[in-house]
Amino acid sequence: MKMFFYALVGAVLAFFAGWFVAPYSLKLTSGNCAAETMFVYDEADRVVISEARWFTHSRGDEHFYMAKLKMIPDKGNPESVLVNRTVETDWTMRPDSLNVRTVKSFRIAGPEPTDAHWGRYIDPLAESGFHARIYLFRTEGGRILAGYKNSPVSTCFEKH
């Protein structure tokens, strides 16, 4: 009976230790990742396509965001703008998701993220102050997808 009690206590301690160590283990072992996103804004007088590529560095706190904004007016010639940012995030683990918060976003090239003309077309995650709950999904092949509840929106397609 004494051995059963010790085994039970050991199992409970191992479970809780693993639960608290898991976020740090995930963060320390995460590698570099490249992912793509695309947003389409259908406005009254034009369509704006925001195609972006994210590069996430080891440990997942620093990202490079590179986007091409293409404005296609109903009349006239299309126009394109390139936007580059370094984005710093902070995240905490929850039992079923991550809370992600954008701490800072630094302009590298392109218009400022707060520019009323271009800023609204930049991926919200690339703007300081963004905060959301992100869920992780695993495919049958083992790939990890990230997104919102029941709606994965991106995945690492290239490890580097």
Side-chain angles (χ1 to χ4, degrees), residues 10-87:
V12 169
L13 287 175
F15 173 78
F16 281 110
W19 183 255
F20 290 109
V21 171
Y24 301 105
S25 174
L26 177 66
K27 207 169 200 179
L28 292 173
T29 59
S30 66
N32 297 336
C33 168
E36 292 181 346
T37 60
M38 184 171 79
F39 295 96
V40 178
Y41 302 89
D42 189 8
E43 298 180 342
D45 58 344
R46 67 181 175 181
V47 172
V48 179
I49 301 170
S50 175
E51 293 181 273
R53 190 161 191 181
W54 285 90
F55 297 95
T56 300
H57 303 290
S58 293
R59 301 193 176 122
D61 291 336
E62 188 176 292
H63 318 272
F64 175 66
Y65 171 76
M66 179 175 55
K68 179 180 180 184
L69 306 178
K70 187 172 184 179
M71 282 64 65
I72 306 168
D74 290 343
K75 298 176 185 169
N77 295 323
E79 180 182 357
S80 292
V81 173
L82 297 177
V83 177
N84 295 309
R85 304 277 186 268
T86 295
V87 179

Side-chain angles (χ1 to χ4, degrees), residues 4-5 15-16 26 30 48 61-62 65 70 91 93 95 102 115 119 125-126 130 133 137:
F4 175 75
F5 175 74
F15 173 78
F16 281 110
L26 177 66
S30 66
V48 179
D61 291 336
E62 188 176 292
Y65 171 76
K70 187 172 184 179
W91 55 276
M93 293 287 290
T102 302
D115 183 316
L125 181 61
F130 173 85
R133 181 182 279 190
F137 309 88

Side-chain angles (χ1 to χ4, degrees), residues 66-128:
M66 179 175 55
K68 179 180 180 184
L69 306 178
K70 187 172 184 179
M71 282 64 65
I72 306 168
D74 290 343
K75 298 176 185 169
N77 295 323
E79 180 182 357
S80 292
V81 173
L82 297 177
V83 177
N84 295 309
R85 304 277 186 268
T86 295
V87 179
E88 182 182 326
T89 59
D90 182 29
W91 55 276
T92 54
M93 293 287 290
R94 298 178 58 91
D96 61 347
S97 58
L98 304 168
N99 274 343
V100 178
R101 182 175 58 91
T102 302
V103 179
K104 296 177 188 171
S105 179
F106 301 97
R107 176 181 180 265
I108 296 173
E112 291 293 332
T114 56
D115 183 316
H117 188 64
W118 307 111
R120 66 181 181 216
Y121 305 116
I122 296 171
D123 189 329
L125 181 61
E127 294 186 57
S128 295

